[in-house]
Amino acid sequence: MSLEIDLAVALRGRTMATLKATVEPGAVLSVIGPSGGGKTSLLLAVAGLLDAPFTVTGTVTRDGTDLTPLPPERRRMGLMFQDALLYPHMSVVQNVLFAVPRREAGRRLTRAERRARAEANLARVEMGHAAARDPDTLSGGQTSRVALARTLASAPRTLLLDEPFSALDPALRAQVRAFVFDLARQDGLPVVMVSHDPADAEAAGGQIIEIRSCQAG
């Protein structure tokens, strides 16, 4: 399930960032650089979420299949952002359940099957005990783990991380990073992470690409 990226992102006709790399299953590609360097734009381009005035050229290929023509929902990309973006009107388990696909392998999943998958993913991040809680009652580290459970519950084939640890204090940052990288390895997911912090890239232990352009973010 290797991911091959060969992309260029331009803003109003001017190339602002390029990325060419291969990410193996369970490995992490770290794209680092200052704010405004185009890191997030590259990540959104991989996901198929970058709109005008940006233009994207090149390809994103997984297991020999060109994903570039596909809409975002068919690319099977799981995204985690700096903000967990949990729904405040839903419980923790409802937030995770929201991401569970309704159909799989050509059949519709029952409500019980989807609920079981949501609970299983909460258990994987050691948050099963908090299933009924309100997201507003969680700590920063707990919120990040629920966001990870929700992302994994969507059954992604690639994991995209946009500064997901930057709002955490150093101790929690290391803990949540370990959860994310360990579970990605267990699931054999290629990971692309963008960060301004070299410590995140060092902890990932994979290939590091530095983006130097500063045309846009």
Side-chain angles (χ1 to χ4, degrees):
M1 200 157 52
S2 62
L3 184 74
E4 297 183 7
I5 304 168
D6 187 358
L7 289 180
V9 173
L11 178 61
R12 298 183 178 90
R14 182 173 182 176
T15 299
M16 64 180 234
T18 62
L19 180 61
K20 185 179 178 67
T22 298
V23 192
E24 298 299 333
V28 182
L29 167 66
S30 299
V31 181
I32 64 172
S35 298
K39 304 184 305 297
T40 294
S41 296
L42 282 168
L43 199 72
L44 294 176
V46 172
L49 294 170
L50 197 62
D51 298 321
F54 297 95
T55 55
V56 180
T57 55
T59 58
V60 178
T61 304
R62 187 174 54 219
D63 289 345
T65 299
D66 184 6
L67 305 181
T68 313
L70 300 180
E73 64 272 15
R74 293 186 57 197
R75 295 192 184 195
R76 302 281 297 274
M77 304 283 184
L79 286 91
M80 285 186 65
F81 298 97
Q82 177 177 341
D83 296 321
L85 304 176
L86 300 182
Y87 296 111
H89 62 287
M90 295 181 178
S91 69
V92 164
V93 73
Q94 287 172 335
N95 265 275
V96 179
L97 180 62
F98 186 82
V100 178
R102 295 183 179 275
R103 297 186 66 84
E104 186 176 74
R107 74 174 185 88
R108 187 175 182 85
L109 298 179
T110 67
R111 173 80 178 183
E113 288 173 323
R114 295 179 65 243
R115 174 87 182 200
R117 183 171 298 183
E119 292 174 346
N121 278 282
L122 278 176
R124 293 187 75 193
V125 300
E126 299 181 5
M127 287 295 293
H129 64 281
R133 287 177 58 178
D134 186 318
D136 288 340
T137 68
L138 303 179
S139 68
Q142 290 173 326
T143 299
S144 294
R145 283 191 275 166
V146 173
L148 174 59
R150 183 177 61 183
T151 300
L152 295 176
S154 69
R157 297 186 64 196
T158 301
L159 195 57
L160 305 178
L161 309 176
D162 186 10
E163 306 269 10
F165 317 120
S166 59
L168 304 175
D169 64 49
L172 282 176
R173 190 174 186 132
Q175 182 187 74
V176 174
R177 268 195 318 235
F179 265 109
V180 173
F181 298 152
D182 287 349
L183 291 179
R185 279 192 291 269
Q186 289 177 26
D187 291 355
L189 300 177
V191 180
V192 182
M193 174 180 67
V194 301
S195 178
H196 67 276
D197 188 347
D200 287 340
E202 292 170 7
Q207 182 182 3
I208 301 173
I209 294 178
E210 184 173 0
I211 299 295
R212 300 182 182 276
S213 170
C214 58
Q215 296 299 314

